[in-house]
Amino acid sequence: MSSPAPLIEVHRGDMLESLHSGHAVVCDDSGQIVQAWGDPMAVIFPRSSCKMIQALPLIESGAADAHGLTSEQLALACASHQGAHIHTDRVQVWLDQLGLKDSDFRCGPQWPGDIPARNEIICAHAQPCQIHNNCSGKHAGFLTLNRHLGGAADYELVDHPVQQAGKAAFEEVTDMTSPGYGIDGCSAPNFATSVQGLARAMASFASAGDRSDTRSQAMVRLTQAMTAHPELVAGETRACTDLMRAMDGRVAIKTGAEAVFVAIIPERKMGVALKITDGSTRGAEAAIAAILVKLGVLDADHPATRARMVPEIRNWRGTLCGHVRPTRALL
């Protein structure tokens, strides 16, 4: 096993103050490694970066078409959203279509990341609901699949048919038996895999347009939904949304908690997965931007790129104090 590779440097003045290390892999459409940093076989929890995999059974089962799901709803099934009205209003419509209520969710309540939505709840002297949870779109997908399968109400349990379908899809597209699982922030099981396994899965999504089987068609639909609706996948000011917009819908990217990031690059038939070992969002956003620039699909000079890959460090008075930048090894 290799040690984590230094990927992102943080300088204050002329001195290196912090260093974000991690593992990253780029795979081609055959699942082979094109380039890697750190240990490709490092086992990680993909967290929310694998939501498009978790959404595969929603389409493959026929549930999505049986319920007439739109591309917006498929994007929300892959989302870690801000809880803004553009997210929660759509999830509420989805719940209404199913004839279900907020109490049918199993993701738990969460304060919105969107400041206006948060302030609205505070000013109303109210509390957030489960619909505000950043994973409520994924859970609406789970509820839709569960309705189609006729499963019990506790769809979040690891032995439930909804989660077993997700596990089967996960192991098939990563081409690995998962060594175990943890419970995610939204209460659903999150199955572990290697960084290479996750990149291999993303490469399968990226090359799905070359195949005609049911799973590949589902992969194409989910990727296209994400790139068509980047504002639903995350939200305003978020890296996923801003960077997908910067790439004009050519690439789908998705973050996960504890500094995981993935990318689906159809034009290159490549998939990317990375994990920053200290769990830093700053490190993960800089690293994914740098890799996308290296692969030629993201403009290094785009404002959204610079804001993540090489952000300036300024103090509260606005004085320039330092900067973040990818390591020479990463570039």
Side-chain angles (χ1 to χ4, degrees), residues 133-218:
N133 189 296
N134 79 96
C135 297
S136 66
K138 179 179 81 171
H139 280 251
F142 285 160
L143 285 169
T144 304
L145 177 58
N146 194 36
R147 171 67 58 82
H148 193 71
L149 298 177
D154 293 326
Y155 63 84
E156 83 287 2
L157 300 180
V158 69
D159 58 353
H160 191 282
V162 166
Q163 302 306 331
Q164 285 300 297
K167 179 185 180 184
F170 184 81
E171 292 186 331
E172 288 163 10
V173 298
T174 58
D175 195 25
M176 279 186 61
T177 299
S178 175
Y181 71 93
I183 300 302
D184 215 332
C186 68
S187 296
N190 195 251
F191 297 99
T193 191
S194 68
V195 181
Q196 181 183 0
L198 189 57
R200 184 187 295 123
M202 296 303 105
S204 184
F205 272 82
S207 60
D210 294 341
R211 306 184 298 271
S212 59
D213 59 283
T214 300
R215 169 154 296 164
S216 296
Q217 292 173 8

Side-chain angles (χ1 to χ4, degrees), residues 75-303:
L76 284 167
C78 302
S80 298
H81 64 67
Q82 291 282 79
H85 275 290
I86 64 168
H87 308 118
T88 55
D89 290 352
R90 285 169 169 80
V91 176
Q92 184 61 60
V93 168
W94 194 347
L95 273 183
D96 293 342
Q97 290 172 341
L98 293 170
L100 298 174
K101 299 178 180 179
D102 192 83
S103 57
D104 291 301
F105 278 134
R106 295 291 186 268
C107 52
Q110 179 184 1
W111 283 98
D114 181 71
I115 299 303
R118 179 187 293 245
N119 289 345
E120 184 179 313
I121 295 172
I122 293 171
C123 290
H125 302 287
Q127 292 294 316
C129 300
Q130 295 188 89
I131 201 170
H132 296 106
N133 189 296
N134 79 96
C135 297
S136 66
K138 179 179 81 171
H139 280 251
F142 285 160
L143 285 169
T144 304
L145 177 58
N146 194 36
R147 171 67 58 82
H148 193 71
L149 298 177
D154 293 326
Y155 63 84
E156 83 287 2
L157 300 180
V158 69
D159 58 353
H160 191 282
V162 166
Q163 302 306 331
Q164 285 300 297
K167 179 185 180 184
F170 184 81
E171 292 186 331
E172 288 163 10
V173 298
T174 58
D175 195 25
M176 279 186 61
T177 299
S178 175
Y181 71 93
I183 300 302
D184 215 332
C186 68
S187 296
N190 195 251
F191 297 99
T193 191
S194 68
V195 181
Q196 181 183 0
L198 189 57
R200 184 187 295 123
M202 296 303 105
S204 184
F205 272 82
S207 60
D210 294 341
R211 306 184 298 271
S212 59
D213 59 283
T214 300
R215 169 154 296 164
S216 296
Q217 292 173 8
M219 288 177 168
V220 170
R221 287 177 66 181
L222 290 167
T223 303
Q224 291 179 344
M226 292 175 69
T227 56
H229 309 289
E231 71 285 351
L232 299 183
V233 174
E236 300 303 327
T237 76
R238 293 276 301 283
C240 289
T241 296
D242 288 350
L243 293 177
M244 280 197 283
R245 285 174 174 166
M247 292 182 284
D248 297 321
R250 295 154 50 218
V251 178
I253 65 172
K254 184 70 185 68
T255 190
E258 297 300 324
V260 182
F261 237 114
V262 299
I264 299 167
I265 311 174
E267 67 187 52
R268 301 289 303 276
K269 299 179 184 178
M270 289 180 177
V272 181
L274 71 86
K275 162 71 176 180
I276 299 297
T277 53
D278 64 12
S280 160
T281 297
R282 175 178 66 182
E285 291 181 354
I288 193 64
I291 291 172
L292 292 170
V293 167
K294 183 179 182 68
L295 294 175
V297 293
L298 179 63
D299 180 3
D301 291 324
H302 193 287

